[in-house]
Amino acid sequence: MYRYRRYAYAFVLPAVLVIAGTLVYPMGQGVYLSFMRVGIDLATTFVGFANYVEVLRQPLFWGVIGHTAVFAVVSTVLTLAVGLGLALLLNRPDLRFRTFWRVLFLMPWTISHVAAGLGWKWIFDGLYGVANDLLLRIGLIEEPLMWLGTRDLAMACVIVANIWRSYPFVMLLLLAALQTIPQEQYEAAGVDGASGWQRFRFVTLPNIKFAIFVGSALDFIFNVRQFDLIFVMTRGGPRNSTEVLATLVNRQAFEYFDYGQASATAVLMLLMLVAATYVYRRLMQTPVESR
Amino acid sequence: MARRRSSSNVLNFLVMPVLGLVMLFPIAWMFVVSLKSEAETYRTPLTWIPHEPTFANYVSMWQALEFARYFQNTLIVAGVTTLLAILVAAPAGYAVSRFRFRGRDAFSGFLLASQMFPRVILIVPYFITMRMFGLVNTYTALILIYVAFAVPFCIWMLRGHFASVPVELDEAAMLDGCSPFQVFRRIVLPLILPGVVATAIFAFLVAWNEFLFALVLTTDRKMSVITVGLASLIGEYKTQWNELMAATIVGSIPAMLLYAVLERYLVRGLSSGATKG
């Protein structure tokens, strides 16, 4: 194939052009705009770091960082727990109708975030929601709650909906990893008289460590970027309590028409995500390398 | 042995059905609501099984919510996106799997990284550019953006499929006088057709479910895709949730079916990406 190397460029050229024109260039434009003041007529003036200073000085921005962190961290941890639990169950040799269950548990992932958000919004409705109805019937609450209209509850609700929408991804990833574990390792552990927990701790876990790392890192990134679900369920409310970075950028751009500030916030978001991913990689370095 | 038998009974007849019920409940509830009349939707205490189930919402939503229009828009945008994305990604995937060329590793790395950066950084540049070119409220704008999102992961997926075809086949064909383009189009591409179809379906689904960019780039109801059309209804003065739930279910069915068909393939695709370091 060596002789035909120069053909490679002809094969990749269309893709490179598309990616350069529709991803790389606009990204550069986004960074560029973060240093500009953009008028309603789209005329730009260079303002240095003024947009960044303005964004960083707003108390709301720091609140939004906090909401994003809570939303992303809690979602990622609980999604991993649910995904791992279901993957372990689906991998049990004595499970019947395996394909049926796998497809069934995959379903939440197949519907759009918008559809999931609409469904959960109605479930958590204060007057006609089934969440209140159920909890009243079994006596866990005495009065109907305004789920999405109460500050802390609203965050809990969007997290629940988000976990429900995202666990299948982690579940499938871990299930795929579980299926590659050689049966002999369990047999050897059985010969050594390992208990169920010990088999999980010393055979299963080391084998799926890398998948756990990849799955939760990707899930974390998806959670930090999450816009659709929150926008549909709460629009960032009540009183900004579920406002996250993605909804803030959208608000700055299309409610306040401050394209410069919106771009600055988006760039800050990118930097924070890169930093978080880097820290996470460092933290996971040892386990991943010793896998 | 008896203990083992009873623990699998607990698994098969208690644990899995209960968990299945919990996880499917939100979708099941959407379906229940979609079968209710308006009066029953807004009656307390709630009925868990509709007293007078009706499919009326599934008929009325096409007109009343303009759902027919959204469905058509989404189909056009997602369909054209899929076609263009595969057209651009297939040769690139072939090149990455077959040839060593300068910049190949950087290119592959960028493909992965492009799936992870926060896309909101693109909303302002896209909006401004599309407005300058008068492309707000057009299919073209959405198609361009979705192709941009789909091409990197299509290349990534197709690369894996091309790699599964032995290079010796290409070499033999070239000895017989085929040009690299002919080898690609006549020999290797037909061999991985199932992989191409699966990749195409993923591209289709990405476009089908996207919301943020469609929201920003459509201001005219007539050009709304399903996600934007449905989400815009909740701000309305009088939202009929029974009708809205029917529309949400119909809008989700294509994706649900495609994923269910692709399920086996999904596990395999994920495992090749996640288990190899």
Side-chain angles (χ1 to χ4, degrees):
Chain A
M1 297 298 281
Y2 184 79
R3 239 153 37 88
Y4 299 99
R5 190 181 191 161
R6 61 204 162 86
Y7 282 92
Y9 297 105
F11 278 101
V12 287
L13 189 67
V16 169
L17 288 179
V18 165
I19 290 173
T22 57
L23 284 179
V24 180
Y25 178 74
M27 252 180 94
Q29 208 182 349
V31 177
Y32 169 82
L33 286 169
S34 72
F35 297 103
M36 299 286 150
R37 175 151 299 130
V38 187
I40 282 295
D41 57 346
L42 302 185
T44 54
T45 352
F46 180 74
V47 291
F49 281 92
N51 289 320
Y52 290 92
V53 172
E54 198 57 41
V55 168
L56 292 168
R57 278 215 325 238
Q58 291 161 7
L60 176 63
F61 175 76
W62 296 100
V64 165
I65 298 274
H67 304 152
T68 311
V70 169
F71 177 80
V73 172
V74 176
S75 294
T76 307
V77 171
L78 294 180
T79 301
L80 178 62
V82 175
L84 178 60
L86 284 170
L88 288 170
L89 286 176
L90 287 173
N91 195 46
R92 295 240 326 205
D94 53 347
L95 177 69
R96 281 192 248 167
F97 309 116
R98 191 178 301 266
T99 309
F100 168 79
W101 290 116
R102 235 173 23 205
V103 172
L104 186 142
F105 283 112
L106 174 73
M107 281 301 123
W109 197 49
T110 66
I111 72 176
S112 65
H113 281 101
V114 171
L118 288 169
W120 281 99
K121 189 179 171 69
W122 191 239
I123 287 173
F124 284 127
D125 188 77
L127 293 173
Y128 308 106
V130 73
N132 273 335
D133 189 76
L134 179 67
L135 294 175
L136 285 168
R137 272 175 212 245
I138 57 176
L140 270 176
I141 54 173
E142 313 223 308
E143 305 243 304
L145 295 171
M146 299 304 288
W147 295 96
L148 297 172
T150 316
R151 295 193 61 137
D152 293 341
L153 283 180
M155 180 54 94
C157 291
V158 291
I159 289 176
V160 166
N162 186 43
I163 294 167
W164 179 79
R165 173 60 177 65
S166 35
Y167 81 81
F169 171 72
V170 176
M171 177 189 84
L172 284 186
L173 207 76
L174 295 181
L175 185 61
L178 285 172
Q179 285 169 350
T180 62
I181 302 178
Q183 201 52 45
E184 298 85 59
Q185 291 192 13
Y186 286 108
E187 284 158 14
V191 170
D192 291 343
S195 69
W197 163 251
Q198 284 171 325
R199 278 206 302 270
F200 175 73
R201 172 73 186 77
F202 295 108
V203 179
T204 311
L205 211 50
N207 274 298
I208 60 170
K209 238 175 204 161
F210 184 69
I212 290 178
F213 165 74
V214 173
S216 45
L218 287 175
D219 188 43
F220 179 78
I221 292 171
F222 297 153
N223 289 332
V224 171
R225 301 196 314 195
Q226 187 50 254
F227 171 85
D228 305 5
L229 196 67
I230 293 172
F231 184 83
V232 168
M233 284 179 75
T234 66
R235 304 221 164 197
R239 281 184 295 140
N240 298 325
S241 60
T242 54
E243 188 90 281
V244 292
L245 282 163
T247 56
L248 177 66
V249 174
N250 182 61
R251 191 185 300 275
Q252 287 168 329
F254 301 107
E255 274 182 38
Y256 309 150
F257 301 103
D258 196 329
Y259 300 127
Q261 271 193 32
S263 301
T265 309
V267 171
L268 288 170
M269 182 177 171
L270 174 66
L271 293 177
M272 284 182 285
L273 202 55
V274 170
T277 315
Y278 179 76
V279 170
Y280 184 66
R281 256 184 94 157
R282 286 302 291 267
L283 286 176
M284 294 296 288
Q285 205 99 66
T286 340
V288 170
E289 274 173 2
S290 66
R291 97 198 117 96
Chain B
M1 234 20 227
R3 209 180 132 228
R4 174 166 287 180
R5 168 107 19 106
S6 84
S7 95
S8 24
N9 280 341
V10 170
L11 173 75
N12 280 305
F13 299 111
L14 186 70
V15 176
M16 296 309 273
V18 168
L19 287 176
L21 223 58
V22 170
M23 289 312 188
L24 269 200
F25 180 79
I27 296 176
W29 182 251
M30 286 158 82
F31 184 62
V32 167
V33 174
S34 75
L35 295 180
K36 290 183 177 183
S37 65
E38 190 187 349
E40 201 177 345
T41 308
Y42 299 98
R43 187 190 298 150
T44 48
L46 295 182
T47 46
W48 281 51
I49 294 160
H51 284 321
E52 302 120 24
T54 163
F55 280 98
N57 298 319
Y58 287 90
V59 178
S60 62
M61 58 171 236
W62 296 92
Q63 293 297 318
L65 307 183
E66 293 180 80
F67 190 80
R69 180 77 202 188
Y70 306 152
F71 201 90
Q72 184 195 334
N73 291 340
T74 315
L75 211 56
I76 293 172
V77 169
V80 177
T81 298
T82 307
L83 216 66
L84 290 178
I86 293 294
L87 218 59
V88 172
Y94 180 73
V96 175
S97 91
R98 284 296 193 264
F99 303 105
R100 302 195 158 277
F101 55 91
R102 213 185 308 164
R104 187 180 76 157
D105 293 341
F107 183 67
S108 306
F110 182 83
L111 297 179
L112 265 194
S114 73
Q115 296 302 295
M116 294 173 199
F117 74 93
R119 289 192 180 147
V120 286
I121 201 170
L122 296 172
I123 57 174
V124 172
Y126 279 160
F127 178 74
I128 289 182
T129 310
M130 297 302 177
R131 221 179 84 178
M132 276 176 170
F133 288 103
L135 290 173
V136 175
N137 288 319
T138 61
Y139 295 138
T140 313
L142 294 187
I143 290 167
L144 277 174
I145 292 172
Y146 296 165
V147 167
F149 293 160
V151 161
F153 83 78
C154 284
I155 297 178
W156 194 258
M157 284 180 73
L158 289 169
R159 186 197 69 137
H161 293 292
F162 283 121
S164 70
V165 178
V167 189
E168 287 75 28
L169 205 66
D170 302 40
E171 285 162 351
M174 283 188 201
L175 283 180
D176 288 346
C178 278
S179 75
F181 295 107
Q182 286 170 324
V183 176
F184 164 70
R185 222 175 61 79
R186 300 253 172 83
I187 297 177
V188 188
L189 201 59
L191 280 176
I192 63 153
L193 202 61
V196 175
V197 171
T199 309
I201 292 177
F202 282 117
F204 183 84
L205 290 171
V206 165
W208 188 270
N209 285 339
E210 206 281 330
F211 175 61
L212 173 60
F213 290 88
L215 177 74
V216 169
L217 291 167
T218 19
T219 49
D220 178 1
R221 253 291 156 80
K222 287 248 161 309
M223 294 306 290
S224 288
V225 292
I226 294 173
T227 50
V228 175
L230 296 183
S232 71
L233 288 170
I234 48 175
E236 304 260 297
Y237 162 64
K238 196 164 185 290
T239 309
Q240 285 200 25
W241 278 87
N242 49 338
E243 221 172 32
L244 181 54
M245 287 293 115
T248 307
I249 290 198
V250 173
S252 305
I253 284 175
M256 283 175 153
L257 289 180
L258 289 175
Y259 270 115
V261 171
L262 279 187
E263 184 273 342
R264 190 163 289 281
Y265 181 84
L266 209 61
V267 177
R268 217 185 308 142
L270 286 173
S271 66
S272 66
T275 50
K276 285 181 214 138

